[in-house]
Amino acid sequence: MAYEQEINRRRTFAIISHPDAGKTTLTEKLLLYGGAIHVAGAVKSNKIKKTATSDWMEIEKQRGISVATSVMGFEYRGYKINILDTPGHQDFAEDTFRTLTAVDSVIIVVDAAKGVEAQTRKLMQVCTMRKTPVMIFVNKMDREGKDPFDLLDELEAELGIGVRPLSWPINMGMKFKGVYNIYQEKLNLYTPDKQKVSETVAVDIDSAELDAMVGEDDAAKLRQDLELIDGVYDPFDVKDYLAADIAPVFFGSALNTFGVRELLDCFVEIAPAPLPVEAEERRVVPTEEAFTGFVFKIHANMDPNHRSCIAFVKVCSGRFERNVNYKHIRLGKMLKFSAPTAFMAQKKETVDEAYAGDIVGLPDTGNFKIGDTLTSGEELHFKGLPSFSPEMFKYIENADPMKTKQLNKGLEQLMGEGVAQLFTHANNNRKIVGTVGQLQFEVIEYRLLHEYGAQCRWEPISLYKACWIESDDAAEIENFKRRKFQYIATDKDGRDVFLAESGYLLQMAQADFPKIRFHFTSEF
Ligand code: G4P
């Protein structure tokens, strides 16, 4: 197959949702269609059950599962599909943010009864920021849920994106009869079944056939709804979807493998092939001959004795090959990889090559950090792996003075993996760890001990947010730092960070120093 064709048939995306909306179930059903698995229930849920939030061993177990399901590749109708899994637990939201930098589009799963939930809203902000094309799957139509029109309004208002239904449900819950596929103008009648794939029939919406299939009342309601949809929403234009202005919406029930095929068929047709990626120096186009890629995720130590990790590299352009030397830009040295892995369904296997759009896993013993660029030789630095303002903070102290070196080494590595963010207080030089969830503190403590033999102790610090500050007026920054010296820290790159103790104090600072810009992500 021609090289460009090979790249253009790739679809690399992530499924995001609030926990329990049905992400795992939908992923599994997509794999079922792709023939990557043969029975439902084969994909283990990698979500960390809410009840086990403080059970670190449980998380370890889950991590073991999730390395295999971090990326799931499969073939469908001539397309190569790569699904990037995102951790369900909200304490790992930062991981999810970064995974979103490696995808070309996103499918959002929403529970029909619950509508838009907190986690979805937050993740959508990242998609908006990056202008990632989004498709929405409204799940659990086999249960009573919100009125579909109300739900569409809610999606628009809460997610800040226009919507366009491309399928439409006929009733819901006990009376759910199926969906009309607006995109293909076909009817898909519902029979609950977790394993079997339902059949779709072409039907003229104005024909008596429709009445015979779903009953007169429901047929009339469907015609009325479709008319209303045409009246309210502009005709669907793929360009609007690709520009991230409009999100096509599908309805179904992942558990019953229903409405999933409509989603998948439309997805492969309209979702973007690998998109150009911005580097500091220039824009990199996927079909360029030379290989480039960046590390967006590091999966830590499956074996604590060896400190071995897997660095996940998104191939941005060209073809990655096994045993070929590539330049690790940050270290300025050439490296080659004898055992790169690709992820097909649930298997991790060594591969000889991978193309733009694919993800390769590189076994690593500490060479990689999140955001590192690899190229065939060109000096490039990929952008777009921002850190977000953490929301929880603790001072980290060394609890074993004999192991200072180990602690520092461990901390540096863990921060490089993106487990949390480290700030150094400008006033007293104490180290502050910032996270998005309580679990990260446990992760750090456990891993420092088990992988580096270092012991840490946490001390409380009451902070509301850390934000990066900058100004065109250097004197103003100096003035601010002087005035707020107890609240200034530096991040890992030595940049100034303001530690706000409360939302009120942050607002005050913003009002008092209008020439200073306060940023809530590290990339500005
Ligand atoms: P998540 O990855 O987004 O967290 O969600 P997951 O797929 O694990 O689904 C959460 C729960 O919702 C599961 O039930 C799952 O069976 C159920 N579910 C998913 N899709 C549908 C659907 O279309 N209809 C209905 N009625 N339920 C659905 P659970 O009881 O938490 O887990 P399990 O014991 O069934 O696995």
Side-chain angles (χ1 to χ4, degrees), residues 164-351:
R164 177 55 163 104
L166 289 188
S167 82
W168 196 251
I170 304 168
N171 291 326
M172 64 176 81
M174 299 290 280
K175 287 194 246 142
F176 184 51
K177 288 200 179 148
V179 290
Y180 180 71
N181 185 340
I182 301 173
Y183 186 65
Q184 293 181 334
E185 299 184 341
K186 285 183 180 161
L187 185 70
N188 189 356
L189 289 174
Y190 174 69
T191 35
D193 192 326
K194 291 181 189 172
Q195 301 284 349
K196 262 212 329 271
V197 158
S198 57
E199 287 305 317
T200 307
V201 282
V203 60
D204 181 352
I205 195 76
D206 294 315
S207 68
E209 217 185 331
L210 180 71
D211 298 70
M213 283 191 245
V214 301
E216 268 175 40
D217 291 350
D218 285 334
K221 172 86 168 54
L222 177 64
R223 288 184 191 111
Q224 201 184 345
D225 284 353
L226 293 178
E227 220 168 274
L228 191 58
I229 289 168
D230 278 344
V232 174
Y233 299 98
D234 288 334
F236 176 64
D237 186 336
V238 177
K239 283 205 292 294
D240 297 332
Y241 158 70
L242 293 174
D245 292 329
I246 292 288
V249 181
F250 289 84
F251 292 83
S253 166
L255 188 62
N256 293 291
T257 325
F258 191 82
V260 178
R261 188 194 286 265
E262 285 78 359
L263 175 79
L264 182 59
D265 280 339
C266 177
F267 173 80
V268 291
E269 278 169 31
I270 70 170
L275 296 170
V277 187
E278 295 294 336
E280 272 166 32
E281 294 79 0
R282 65 184 185 88
R283 164 179 273 217
V284 176
V285 178
T287 46
E288 289 174 18
E289 291 260 317
F291 159 76
T292 64
F294 67 86
V295 177
F296 66 96
K297 172 179 174 132
I298 293 179
H299 210 292
N301 301 38
M302 300 322 297
D303 176 359
N305 296 323
H306 290 97
R307 282 195 202 157
S308 62
C309 306
I310 295 181
F312 287 77
V313 174
K314 162 85 184 268
V315 181
C316 298
S317 69
R319 182 171 53 202
F320 172 93
E321 287 171 275
R322 188 159 83 98
N323 280 330
V324 167
N325 269 304
Y326 293 116
K327 187 163 187 185
H328 185 310
I329 302 295
R330 183 175 53 82
L331 299 182
K333 68 178 182 191
M334 301 300 281
L335 297 174
K336 67 178 171 193
F337 305 93
S338 58
T341 51
F343 305 85
M344 286 303 281
Q346 300 138 283
K347 283 202 301 288
K348 191 157 79 57
E349 49 195 45
T350 303
V351 285

Side-chain angles (χ1 to χ4, degrees), residues 16-27 45-47 49-50 88 109 111 137 139-143 194 252-258:
I16 57 177
S17 73
H18 192 84
D20 273 349
K23 178 169 70 72
T24 312
T25 313
L26 179 65
T27 306
S45 163
N46 81 340
K47 67 182 166 179
K49 295 279 182 205
K50 273 154 280 175
V109 185
D111 183 326
F137 184 71
N139 191 27
K140 306 197 185 181
M141 291 306 294
D142 57 315
R143 289 199 189 155
K194 291 181 189 172
S253 166
L255 188 62
N256 293 291
T257 325
F258 191 82

